[in-house]
């Protein structure tokens, strides 16, 4: 075998087949040129110069250092190590030769009935795999796609201007948050305008693209990549480090809280985020979170409230409990994030169908997860759990730029919504993989407009468990969270009393001479 034939066989990733039977010198040159073109596409970003307009410019405030961005953690800095301290989102050489053929699922004759009833679940909608294919594709293309970016303002002092190779989980989180904002301010059936000119003029699209533009800002670009990295510092994540779905859930929570404190968008209060970090959702924690605005309004209002007659005059707790009974229901919507680990090193196949079932719920906003090669935003699955559909952020595109425009005679800086930038936020090529190929670390997302939606999620999960007795539960629910500090005083008192009695008994048997030691 000649040297040319050997190299060609290696290029085809099948050295076991004699290269002389199918590979010529010309084929080798063609494959080598194809490989060079592919490398240029993947590593020499073809969109590097698509913002070539002279009307765009960087402004002085692009030089903000990362440490100047303050994103507060409103609950706790603690995170769950089992969801994040694992290398599932690093490149895995063991799976280097994984091909799409590995994801093909065949069905035997005994599964014919199930194949006929196969459905595609896309964020709460159900599509027939053949009859509704066009509708499904339109739904998928309307999803917002956030990818690696290059040439954004430098993160000082880290000298980082691109997140290629490490920011895939943060980009996946941006996709989920964008879908939630779309549901919150529009609806599930809303679609962005088809023409680029109409998109550029649409108030919601303009605001949405500003929120996610890659610029450090606590008053405008709330969900920018820089803000996410700044929030990650609260959880011991430095720029350039991989994120897991558990840590990024807390990052989402903190940025939404920051956005909520700044302003009210479109005349509607922002949703709140609850992270069920222990794999169990506690109803009392959610209720305290969702009525906190109403509680504040009631407790600070001047309305009179009658004291319960049985309460002691100094028992203010009983008085306030009586007032809180009149507090209305939720005052805004909820984004429920549930970090889970469905297996040790590999995905537990028992969870395949239960996870696929969650995409059929109207409250589903997808799953943050990944494969050994990187993170993904998963938005749908086949009903039998054979395939899962996701958006892959591993494409490097140029970061958006700012432009100076005149508004009412005053020069202002806005995000330049160029045609190329608007085209870069959608894709017609989603990814389809075998669900069992997923990494076991994931985060479930549910958007609940009210308490009835939350109850529907719980009942649907329980109903699935009842109709599939051998299927495990993805997560559990409880009415009250455990109070690990409860009864500590009484327990300590019992310990002290028992210790005192023991000491007293021993003292009776010890003489006074033993109380002191002569040194």
């Amino acid at each position: 075998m000649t040297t040319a034939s050997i190299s060609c066989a290696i290029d085809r990733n099948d050295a076991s087949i004699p290269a002389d039977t199918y590979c010529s010198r010309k084929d080798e040159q063609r494959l080598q040129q194809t490989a060079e073109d592919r490398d240029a596409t993947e590593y020499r970003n073809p969109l590097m110069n698509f913002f070539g307009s002279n009307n765009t410019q960087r402004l002085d405030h692009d030089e903000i250092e990362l440490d100047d961005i303050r994103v507060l953690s409103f609950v706790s800095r603690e995170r769950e190590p089992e969801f994040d301290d694992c290398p599932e989102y690093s490149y895995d050489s063991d799976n280097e030769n994984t091909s799409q053929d590995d994801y093909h699922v065949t069905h035997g004759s005994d599964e014919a009935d199930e194949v006929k009833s196969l459905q595609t679940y896309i964020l709460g909608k159900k599509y027939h795999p053949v009859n509704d294919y066009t509708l499904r594709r339109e739904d998928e293309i309307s999803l917002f796609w956030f990818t690696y970016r290059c040439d954004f303002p430098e993160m000082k002092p880290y000298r980082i201007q691109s997140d290629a190779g490490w920011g895939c989980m943060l980009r996946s989180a941006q996709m989920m948050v964008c879908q939630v904002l779309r549901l919150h301010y529009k609806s599930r059936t809303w679609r962005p305008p088809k023409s680029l000119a109409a998109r550029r003029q649409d108030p919601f699209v303009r605001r949405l693209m500003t929120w996610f533009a890659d610029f450090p800002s606590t008053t405008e670009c709330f969900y920018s990549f820089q803000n996410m990295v700044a929030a990650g510092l609260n959880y011991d994540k430095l720029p350039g480090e991989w994120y897991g779905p558990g840590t990024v859930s807390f990052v989402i929570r903190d940025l939404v809280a920051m956005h909520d404190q700044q302003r009210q968008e479109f005349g509607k209060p922002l949703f709140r985020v609850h992270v069920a970090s222990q794999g169990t959702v506690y109803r009392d924690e959610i209720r305290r979170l969702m009525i906190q605005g109403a509680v504040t309004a009631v407790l600070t209002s001047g309305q009179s409230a009658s004291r319960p007659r049985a309460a002691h005059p100094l028992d203010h707790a009983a008085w306030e409990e009586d007032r809180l009974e009149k507090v209305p229901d939720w005052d805004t919507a909820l984004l429920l994030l549930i970090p889970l680990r469905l297996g040790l090193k590999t995905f537990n196949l028992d969870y395949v169908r239960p996870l696929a079932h969650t995409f059929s719920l109207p409250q589903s906003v997808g799953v943050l997860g990944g494969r050994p090669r990187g993170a993904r935003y998963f938005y749908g699955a086949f009903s039998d759990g054979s395939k899962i559909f996701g958006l892959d952020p591993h494409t490097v595109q140029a970061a958006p730029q700012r432009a100076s425009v005149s508004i009412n005679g005053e020069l202002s800086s806005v995000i330049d919504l160029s045609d190329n930038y608007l085209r870069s936020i959608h894709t017609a090529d989603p990814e389809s993989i075998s669900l069992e190929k997923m990494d076991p670390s994931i985060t479930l997302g549910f958007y609940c407009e009210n308490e009835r939606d939350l109850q529907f999620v719980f009942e649907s999960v329980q109903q699935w468990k009842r109709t599939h007795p051998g299927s495990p539960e993805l997560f559990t629910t409880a009415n009250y969270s455990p109070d690990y500090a409860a009864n500590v005083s009484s327990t300590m008192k019992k310990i002290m009393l028992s210790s005192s009695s023991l000491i007293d008994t021993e003292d009776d048997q010890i003489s006074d001479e033993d109380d002191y030691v002569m040194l």
Side-chain angles (χ1 to χ4, degrees), residues 77-132:
R77 290 180 47 137
E78 297 181 359
R79 57 188 173 91
E80 299 302 317
E82 61 268 27
F83 298 127
D84 298 288
D85 295 340
C86 49
E88 67 266 30
Y89 300 107
S90 60
Y91 184 81
D92 188 355
S93 59
D94 294 337
N95 296 320
E96 184 175 3
N97 295 323
T98 302
S99 64
Q100 290 296 330
D101 294 338
D102 297 333
Y103 305 140
H104 180 67
V105 178
T106 58
H107 299 272
S109 58
D110 56 338
E111 297 178 347
D113 294 338
E114 187 173 353
V115 173
K116 291 181 181 179
S117 61
L118 186 68
Q119 288 184 307
T120 303
Y121 299 147
I122 304 292
L123 298 176
K125 286 186 173 292
K126 301 177 182 179
Y127 297 102
H128 188 277
V130 178
N131 300 337
D132 300 329

Side-chain angles (χ1 to χ4, degrees), residues 121-379:
Y121 299 147
I122 304 292
L123 298 176
K125 286 186 173 292
K126 301 177 182 179
Y127 297 102
H128 188 277
V130 178
N131 300 337
D132 300 329
Y133 180 77
T134 301
L135 294 176
R136 169 197 157 188
R137 294 295 293 137
E138 292 178 353
D139 195 3
E140 290 176 316
I141 294 174
S142 71
L143 297 175
F144 287 91
W145 180 48
F146 294 104
T147 69
Y148 290 150
R149 297 284 178 175
C150 63
D151 290 340
F152 51 62
E154 180 181 342
M155 293 183 183
K156 295 184 177 180
Y158 304 97
R159 298 182 179 180
I160 293 177
Q161 289 185 287
S162 174
D163 61 312
W166 60 277
C168 53
M169 179 54 74
L170 295 178
R171 296 299 184 181
S172 300
Q174 284 182 326
M175 291 187 244
M176 175 180 281
V177 174
C178 190
Q179 177 64 19
V180 177
L181 291 168
R182 174 180 174 177
L183 293 175
H184 188 68
Y185 290 115
K186 291 296 183 177
S187 67
R188 178 64 181 85
T189 58
W190 179 84
R191 299 285 186 273
K194 292 186 177 180
S195 70
L196 296 179
R199 291 185 198 176
R200 191 175 294 107
Q201 298 301 322
D202 186 278
F204 180 68
V205 173
R206 292 186 63 87
R207 190 69 61 84
L208 202 62
M209 293 302 96
T210 300
W211 290 339
F212 289 92
D214 291 328
F215 289 94
S217 172
T218 57
T219 59
E220 186 181 29
C221 307
F222 298 105
Y223 307 103
S224 68
F225 187 80
Q226 289 85 346
N227 282 10
M228 285 193 153
V229 173
L233 296 175
N234 292 328
Y235 304 99
D236 301 325
K237 289 291 184 181
L238 295 176
E241 293 184 343
W242 286 304
Y243 282 70
T247 296
V248 82
S249 299
F250 292 103
V251 169
I252 293 173
R253 180 198 64 188
D254 295 346
L255 293 184
V256 170
M258 180 184 69
H259 187 183
D260 186 39
Q261 287 189 344
Q262 292 294 326
R263 65 177 71 173
Q264 186 176 109
E265 308 287 353
F266 301 103
K268 184 178 181 179
L270 194 62
F271 57 88
R272 298 193 184 102
V273 182
H274 176 72
V275 182
S277 59
Q278 301 296 330
T280 301
V281 183
Y282 297 106
R283 299 172 188 266
D284 62 330
E285 291 182 350
I286 293 180
R287 178 151 184 83
R288 283 196 298 269
L289 173 69
M290 300 310 297
I291 67 173
Q292 63 183 15
V295 169
T296 303
V298 170
L299 295 181
T300 58
S301 65
Q303 300 177 359
S304 60
S306 58
R307 297 171 181 249
R309 295 182 179 180
H312 189 275
L314 298 180
D315 189 359
H316 297 285
W319 182 29
E320 291 193 357
E321 286 178 3
D322 179 68
R323 298 176 72 182
L324 293 180
E325 289 178 358
K326 304 176 182 179
V327 172
D329 235 339
W330 293 7
D331 53 3
T332 188
L334 167 71
L335 171 59
L336 176 61
L337 300 176
I338 310 176
L340 300 170
R341 188 165 181 85
L342 306 180
L344 295 178
K345 293 184 178 181
T346 59
F347 194 89
N348 190 332
L349 300 184
D350 292 338
Y351 290 104
V352 167
R353 296 196 64 182
L355 181 60
H357 171 70
T358 63
F359 292 104
S360 68
L361 305 181
Q363 294 77 17
S364 173
V365 290
V367 172
L368 297 177
R371 294 173 53 194
R373 297 183 183 218
R376 304 289 193 277
Y377 168 57
F378 296 111
Y379 60 84

Side-chain angles (χ1 to χ4, degrees), residues 413-458:
S413 171
V414 298
I415 304 300
D416 184 17
L417 300 183
S418 66
D419 289 352
N420 287 316
Y421 179 45
L422 292 177
R423 289 192 190 99
S424 72
I425 58 177
H426 296 282
T427 179
D429 298 312
E431 189 178 42
S432 173
I433 67 173
S434 172
L435 201 150
E436 61 189 45
K437 297 289 185 179
M438 285 180 59
D439 190 273
S441 290
I442 66 169
T443 288
L444 298 176
F446 299 100
Y447 172 78
C448 304
E449 289 190 13
N450 47 52
E451 200 165 1
R452 291 189 300 274
D453 282 355
L454 181 65
Q455 183 63 27
F456 179 83
V457 172
F458 294 160

Side-chain angles (χ1 to χ4, degrees), residues 2-5 7-8 23-31:
T2 64
T3 304
S5 299
S7 62
C8 188
C23 183
S24 65
R25 186 83 170 181
K26 185 177 181 180
D27 291 332
E28 177 195 5
Q29 294 175 354
R30 178 177 56 80
L31 289 172

